[in-house]
Amino acid sequence: MEKMISVKNLEKSYKSKKVIKGISFNVQKGEILCFLGPNGAGKSTTINILTGALGYESGEIFYKERKIEKGDRKFKQQLGIVPQEISLYEDITAQQNLRFFASLYGLKGKELNERTDEAIEIAGLTEKANDRVNTFSGGMKRRLNIACAIAHHPEILIMDEPTVGIDPQSRNYILSSVKKMREKGTTIIYTTHYMEEVEEISTRIIIMDKGEIIASGTKEKLKEEIVNDKRFVIEVDDLDKVNLEEFYNVEGVKNAKIEGGKLNITTLTGVENLDKLIAILVNSSVKINNLNCETASLETVFLNLTGKKLRD
């Protein structure tokens, strides 16, 4: 898979405090790479360095194997940036905002008109194109902000907490748009405080804490490697027939108990033993009414790694 961005041994300090501590990572073409971390972990600092908004003391950044120098215009032309704070001119229309921001990337004439119409349609704001932005809701402003970042068809879209403080409908619209942009080939770097967003859109995750990368991988890989348990919740017709001690003879079983009127069995993720658990119940003439397998959530992974909630 083609590397769009490579970051090597990146370091950044504010005064005497080192906030980015020699991190290295790659961004692959066509992925949605989500950054997670508690407040102060270094996510936004890393994003701001990638966009060129911040400098750094040491390390290297490459775009398609070419080293990025300070003020590299060719690299910046390939970026679309959606900042945490909404960046729009509120006393002019949505269309005028789009035309202005798209023109900064050299778009003009017919191409400018076509890209403006396309971007405002993606944002679901076609009917509001000629309305002033100061009449928009927070969700509409967020969607327009994204439209302004994608009108020039960037190869890489950087989105720093793009759904903060908006209504659920706008959030769902933005997440759906992000997935569609990825399907069209856009590479996306995404930071958020909402774990459910990462569950829905990420193809890979980087977890940061105290300026360091402490874990990375797909959500499935992280759940399996960090929290090595899964739980079977089984509803049966007669709990009195269940002998919990029998389950401890099965390889991988860590715990078996009755909870909430259901049989709960915790077992190691890498051990395939469901057939043996079912066999114990069948041999005891226990009828199974329902069975669910519950794996660790990203929230559990995050707490195990950092000891904090995401917003701490």
Side-chain angles (χ1 to χ4, degrees):
M1 191 176 292
E2 182 182 1
K3 292 178 185 176
M4 297 298 287
I5 297 176
S6 294
V7 175
K8 298 181 180 179
N9 302 315
L10 189 67
E11 294 192 351
K12 170 68 178 175
S13 299
Y14 288 120
K15 296 182 179 179
S16 60
K17 182 180 180 181
K18 189 171 289 187
V19 294
I20 301 295
K21 304 174 182 177
I23 65 172
S24 299
F25 63 91
N26 297 318
V27 183
Q28 309 290 351
K29 182 177 177 62
E31 74 173 342
I32 301 176
L33 176 62
C34 289
F35 277 80
L36 281 175
N39 287 335
K43 307 184 303 299
S44 291
T45 299
T46 301
I47 293 299
N48 287 329
I49 290 173
L50 290 180
T51 65
L54 279 179
Y56 52 97
E57 284 78 56
S58 62
E60 297 176 305
I61 302 174
F62 296 84
Y63 166 64
K64 293 183 176 180
E65 310 299 333
R66 178 176 66 82
K67 187 174 179 179
I68 302 302
E69 304 294 346
K70 185 176 180 180
D72 195 310
R73 289 183 60 84
K74 288 185 177 179
F75 175 57
K76 289 184 177 181
Q77 288 286 336
Q78 304 306 320
L79 296 180
I81 302 168
V82 182
Q84 282 188 35
E85 300 297 326
I86 293 173
S87 180
L88 298 168
Y89 293 101
E90 299 211 358
D91 57 346
I92 61 176
T93 69
Q95 187 178 65
Q96 288 169 330
N97 268 277
L98 267 167
R99 291 180 64 84
F100 170 73
F101 285 107
S103 69
L104 297 179
Y105 290 90
L107 298 181
K108 55 187 177 180
K110 181 181 178 182
E111 185 180 31
L112 176 60
N113 293 334
E114 289 176 349
R115 296 285 185 85
T116 298
D117 291 342
E118 177 190 47
I120 208 160
E121 182 178 352
I122 290 172
L125 295 170
T126 301
E127 294 182 359
K128 300 288 186 179
N130 295 314
D131 291 358
R132 291 179 183 270
V133 174
N134 57 19
T135 67
F136 284 10
S137 67
M140 291 165 66
K141 290 177 183 177
R142 287 281 178 186
R143 282 149 53 193
L144 179 59
N145 218 31
I146 292 172
C148 290
I150 65 174
H152 64 293
H153 288 186
E155 286 191 326
I156 303 166
L157 181 62
I158 298 177
M159 310 181 77
D160 194 6
E161 299 189 32
T163 62
V164 170
I166 63 172
D167 58 279
Q169 184 179 7
S170 291
R171 175 176 288 122
N172 290 337
Y173 195 100
I174 289 171
L175 296 180
S176 177
S177 297
V178 167
K179 289 186 283 188
K180 287 177 182 177
M181 284 186 281
R182 186 222 171 195
E183 290 169 2
K184 292 180 179 179
T186 306
T187 301
I188 299 165
I189 302 172
Y190 193 101
T191 76
T192 182
H193 270 134
Y194 300 108
M195 201 71 75
E196 64 272 19
E197 292 185 2
V198 180
E199 288 273 12
E200 182 173 345
I201 68 173
S202 69
T203 59
R204 192 160 59 90
I205 301 165
I206 287 177
I207 298 178
M208 293 186 68
D209 194 22
K210 299 176 181 177
E212 298 179 302
I213 293 174
I214 58 175
S216 66
T218 65
K219 53 181 176 283
E220 293 81 10
K221 179 184 176 185
L222 289 173
K223 289 175 184 178
E224 184 173 332
E225 290 185 355
I226 307 302
V227 184
N228 198 29
D229 293 345
K230 60 185 174 184
R231 184 171 66 151
F232 294 110
V233 180
I234 308 172
E235 296 179 33
V236 300
D237 65 338
D238 190 350
L239 286 171
D240 291 335
K241 295 180 181 179
V242 175
N243 181 358
L244 295 177
E245 294 301 320
E246 292 187 61
F247 295 107
Y248 289 97
N249 296 323
V250 177
E251 181 186 3
V253 171
K254 296 175 64 177
N255 189 35
K257 61 183 178 180
I258 306 296
E259 188 174 74
K262 300 174 184 178
L263 173 60
N264 287 259
I265 302 174
T266 302
T267 181
L268 293 174
T269 302
V271 180
E272 299 300 326
N273 54 14
L274 180 59
D275 57 336
K276 296 181 178 64
L277 303 179
I278 291 174
I280 290 173
L281 294 172
V282 170
N283 292 336
S284 299
S285 300
V286 177
K287 180 183 176 182
I288 298 173
N289 295 326
N290 191 35
L291 187 152
N292 288 308
C293 179
E294 299 178 354
T295 56
S297 66
L298 272 180
E299 184 77 32
T300 304
V301 170
F302 192 83
L303 286 169
N304 271 303
L305 286 169
T306 68
K308 309 168 187 173
K309 291 188 178 293
L310 187 56
R311 287 188 175 274
D312 282 355

